[in-house]
Amino acid sequence: PYTTLFRSIAQFADIKAADLPGCKVKKDGGQIAYHTGATISARAVTNAVARAARYAADNQNRLFAAASGSRP
């Protein structure tokens, strides 16, 4: 089960960050593969990655802004 999970998650590594918000499983017309019987889990992971990517893109300045007076 863990090997399958890691293979599923690894699929996101080849997708550009700008394309992550539009990710879908193949059954829904996307490019993320899933195993028979695990469509709901794959869909949930894919949707969660897409939501996180959208949030990061929408809040990029706030998330990655250095605090005033901080050093790198």
Side-chain angles (χ1 to χ4, degrees), residues 47-65:
N47 288 339
V49 168
R51 282 194 312 273
R54 260 193 306 280
Y55 181 85
D58 292 346
N59 296 284
Q60 182 175 343
N61 291 337
R62 188 168 58 91
L63 290 170
F64 301 108

Side-chain angles (χ1 to χ4, degrees), residues 4-6 10-11 18 24-25 38 46-47 54 56 62 64 69-70 72:
T4 302
L5 175 64
F6 291 129
Q11 294 178 84
K24 295 179 182 176
V25 294
T46 301
N47 288 339
R54 260 193 306 280
R62 188 168 58 91
F64 301 108
S70 66

Side-chain angles (χ1 to χ4, degrees), residues 2-72:
Y2 291 112
T3 304
T4 302
L5 175 64
F6 291 129
R7 266 190 259 133
S8 296
I9 293 172
Q11 294 178 84
F12 293 100
D14 296 330
I15 300 173
K16 293 178 185 176
D19 296 334
L20 284 173
C23 282
K24 295 179 182 176
V25 294
K26 287 185 178 184
K27 187 173 185 175
D28 294 338
Q31 67 274 33
I32 303 299
Y34 56 91
H35 296 279
T36 303
T39 306
I40 293 172
S41 297
R43 189 176 286 133
V45 170
T46 301
N47 288 339
V49 168
R51 282 194 312 273
R54 260 193 306 280
Y55 181 85
D58 292 346
N59 296 284
Q60 182 175 343
N61 291 337
R62 188 168 58 91
L63 290 170
F64 301 108
S68 179
S70 66
R71 292 186 280 169

